[in-house]
């Protein structure tokens, strides 16, 4: 029996994920090993505005496993389910991503028709607050010469959060409006968060009956 597509699994899990108070950020299906008979790995990435709760993610993982088993799309094939939150170096593709990235350093690339920011179309900045007019505050200049500019989100072709190994300057964070509620301090966070038993070493194993 062919494996379900990532789109199909997304459709199956989306309602339950939303009901549990999370946003579905992606589904990835890949072979768990080189053996053709090895189970596939199903990675479901979720996020929320508040701080990540391991117990809530573990309960969501249990319910998703039951849902996928009941749906029967995997037939009698075993699969490994991993439920996790996004890594630190996530791309920002929606307004909610920018809200959650407030206070973080981001690498920004402007679109071809966008007005350069201080002469640059690619630069690093610290993400600030979103405005109702469709712009986002970006803090340039790092710790030494921090200053804030406002850039239309429509002008940004891509933006990716950067991994940081040291804390930002106080003025930088003040201009950015602080760190998003429930988010780790830059320079002192894990790369991602998976529920106990749901990481890449010991994920939940399921099989439809």
């Amino acid at each position: 029996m062919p494996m379900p597509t990532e789109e199909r699994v997304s459709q199956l899990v989306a309602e339950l994920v939303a009901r549990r108070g999370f946003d579905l950020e992606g589904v990835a299906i890949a072979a768990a090993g080189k053996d053709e008979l090895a189970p596939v790995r199903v990675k479901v990435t979720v996020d929320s505005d508040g701080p990540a709760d391991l117990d809530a993610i573990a309960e969501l993982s249990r319910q998703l496993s039951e849902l996928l088993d009941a749906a029967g799309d995997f037939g009698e094939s075993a699969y490994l389910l991993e439920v996790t939150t996004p890594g630190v170096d996530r791309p920002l593709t929606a307004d909610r991503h920018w809200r959650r990235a407030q206070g973080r350093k981001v690498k920004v690339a402007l679109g071809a028709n966008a007005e350069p920011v201080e002469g640059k179309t690619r630069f690093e900045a610290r993400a600030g607050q979103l405005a109702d007019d469709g712009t986002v505050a970006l803090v340039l200049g790092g710790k030494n010469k921090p200053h804030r500019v406002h850039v239309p989100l429509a002008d940004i072709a891509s933006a990716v959060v950067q991994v940081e190994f040291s804390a930002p300057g106080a003025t930088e964070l003040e201009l950015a409006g602080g760190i998003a509620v429930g988010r780790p301090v830059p320079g002192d966070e894990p790369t991602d968060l998976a529920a106990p038993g749901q990481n890449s070493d010991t994920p939940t194993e399921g099989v439809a009956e």
Side-chain angles (χ1 to χ4, degrees):
M1 179 178 182
M3 291 293 104
T5 64
E6 293 173 354
E7 181 180 6
R8 168 60 177 166
V9 173
S10 296
Q11 293 171 347
L12 287 172
V13 305
E15 182 179 352
L16 174 56
V17 169
R19 196 163 64 243
R20 295 290 300 178
F22 291 96
D23 294 311
L24 179 63
E25 297 292 354
V27 169
I29 300 177
K34 296 181 179 179
D35 188 340
E36 293 183 358
L37 298 179
V40 296
R41 185 180 302 277
V42 181
K43 182 177 181 179
V44 178
T45 303
V46 300
D47 203 5
S48 63
D49 283 333
D53 185 323
L54 280 172
D55 290 337
I57 293 176
E59 176 61 16
L60 174 63
S61 178
R62 184 189 65 79
Q63 294 183 346
L64 288 177
S65 181
E66 293 177 351
L67 183 152
L68 292 175
D69 283 353
D73 285 53
F74 288 91
E76 297 182 355
S77 301
Y79 61 89
L80 302 175
L81 174 64
E82 177 184 356
V83 180
T84 186
T85 57
V88 173
D89 53 346
R90 71 176 68 186
L92 307 178
T93 59
D95 286 3
R96 67 177 183 272
H97 299 158
W98 283 98
R99 289 198 309 271
R100 294 164 186 170
Q102 183 177 320
R104 302 306 308 264
K105 182 183 290 186
V106 295
K107 181 178 289 187
V108 177
L110 301 179
N113 298 320
E115 185 74 21
V117 175
E118 299 185 355
K120 297 180 180 180
T121 59
R122 293 178 180 271
F123 53 88
E124 288 190 350
R126 194 162 299 279
Q129 295 174 319
L130 285 176
D132 292 338
D133 63 359
T135 64
V136 61
L138 297 175
V139 181
L140 305 175
K143 294 181 180 180
N144 296 326
K145 298 181 179 180
H147 58 285
R148 185 169 53 205
V149 298
H150 293 84
V151 178
L153 283 179
D155 285 355
I156 298 176
S158 66
V160 180
V161 174
Q162 301 298 288
V163 176
E164 297 184 67
F165 299 100
S166 61
T171 304
E172 277 187 282
L173 276 185
E174 182 180 354
L175 290 173
I179 300 168
V181 176
R183 297 287 154 169
V185 176
D188 185 28
E189 70 279 304
T191 55
D192 59 19
L193 177 63
Q198 315 309 317
N199 58 38
S200 60
D201 295 322
T202 55
T204 294
E205 184 168 353
V207 58
E209 297 180 355

